Amino acid sequence: MSAPLDPSENTALRLTLDLVQRGTEFFGRELQGLTDDDLDGNSLLPGWTRRQVVAHVVSNAGALGRLAYWADTGIETVMYASLEARTAEIEAGGILRPDALRGAWADSADDLERRWHSLPDDRWSVPVRNGQGAMVPLRETTWMRTRELWIHAVDLDHGAGFSMLPEEVLERLLGDIVGDWAARGDTSRMLTATDSTHDGYGDPDAAEHVTGSLADLAGWATGRVQSGVVSDTGETPAAPRWL
């Protein structure tokens, strides 16, 4: 049995669960604003339609629900049995009728919320395996869901932008991305937000310094947009792969 969360962990969890709730509402509003025909249009993700983005977010809720089941019961239940299974699940969702896809979105979000809110406090410390194969405490899956909701709402490409994301999401997102780059041995750039008091993201002695607003840096670092940021090299290169 895992130990209950300490006060700081519990506070962080509650704050992230609030971001999930707000992100769910944000994504839902963006989806509601799309007509059925709009769902067949292109998203910001190359090669993906909007309906495929929605299907992916639906699938993600189910996958995180399986991790919650693992933490609650002790029965190892991975997000997806294989990469092929993940792809098949998203493809199956992507061909649903518009009303069925919208219903699947609502049901999946509600089901994940119920699973999380029914968990005893000590289950949030149980280690589970994330999509990259690393063992992390279950509470980390709430941040995984936060990222999915806010970023993919922008990916629906129906008016939402990174400037609409909460500052705490943008800051943590940039920290994650720069940390992932560093884990792969890439420490060649420092990101500095012109509208934040944060010291910056990355190595201050890096060869390249990229500046822009928090929103523009997040959009660039996630590979969604190329404008709004400036590099001291004189050019703004494409951001390295993130996930």
Side-chain angles (χ1 to χ4, degrees), residues 16-235:
T16 309
L17 284 170
D18 178 66
L19 290 174
V20 171
Q21 180 60 40
R22 292 162 59 190
T24 299
E25 295 168 358
F26 183 60
F27 188 94
R29 287 194 298 271
E30 292 304 302
L31 176 57
Q32 187 175 21
L34 296 171
T35 67
D36 290 350
D37 288 341
D38 287 338
L39 289 172
D40 293 318
N42 293 329
S43 73
L44 291 183
L45 294 177
W48 277 37
T49 63
R50 293 186 178 104
R51 64 166 53 248
Q52 288 172 301
V53 171
V54 177
H56 168 67
V57 176
V58 170
S59 177
N60 173 261
L64 296 183
R66 289 190 280 273
L67 295 185
Y69 177 82
W70 176 356
D72 192 28
T73 65
I75 301 171
E76 182 172 347
T77 312
V78 295
M79 293 181 70
Y80 301 99
S82 65
L83 180 59
E84 292 76 17
R86 174 183 179 273
T87 299
E89 191 171 301
I90 295 170
E91 289 179 347
I95 61 174
L96 291 173
R97 299 187 318 274
D99 59 334
L101 182 59
R102 295 176 193 275
W105 147 253
D107 290 345
S108 67
D110 288 346
D111 183 64
L112 181 59
E113 181 181 16
R114 283 193 299 270
R115 284 181 180 273
W116 278 349
H117 284 279
S118 68
L119 287 171
D121 285 348
D122 63 349
R123 301 301 196 274
W124 289 106
S125 297
V126 175
V128 294
R129 186 172 293 106
N130 68 14
Q132 288 71 49
M135 298 298 290
V136 299
L138 181 70
R139 62 181 179 274
E140 290 297 320
T141 64
T142 61
W143 171 242
M144 293 162 59
R145 184 62 175 173
T146 299
R147 295 189 317 199
E148 290 285 321
L149 291 164
W150 290 98
I151 294 176
H152 288 317
V154 175
D155 287 333
L156 291 177
D157 196 21
H158 194 65
F162 280 88
S163 62
M164 301 170 73
L165 273 60
E167 182 176 341
E168 56 266 46
V169 172
L170 294 171
E171 289 184 340
R172 187 168 176 182
L173 181 60
L174 285 172
D176 277 5
I177 294 171
V178 172
D180 287 343
W181 290 343
R184 294 199 294 268
D186 185 351
T187 58
S188 61
R189 66 193 54 78
M190 171 80 173
L191 308 187
T192 303
T194 56
D195 55 351
S196 171
T197 58
H198 194 284
D199 290 338
Y201 308 86
D203 182 357
D205 296 323
E208 180 182 13
H209 286 244
V210 180
T211 59
S213 68
L214 272 174
D216 286 337
L217 284 172
W220 173 78
T222 57
R224 267 61 178 183
V225 297
Q226 189 69 10
S227 61
V229 300
V230 177
S231 169
D232 62 358
T233 64
E235 298 181 358

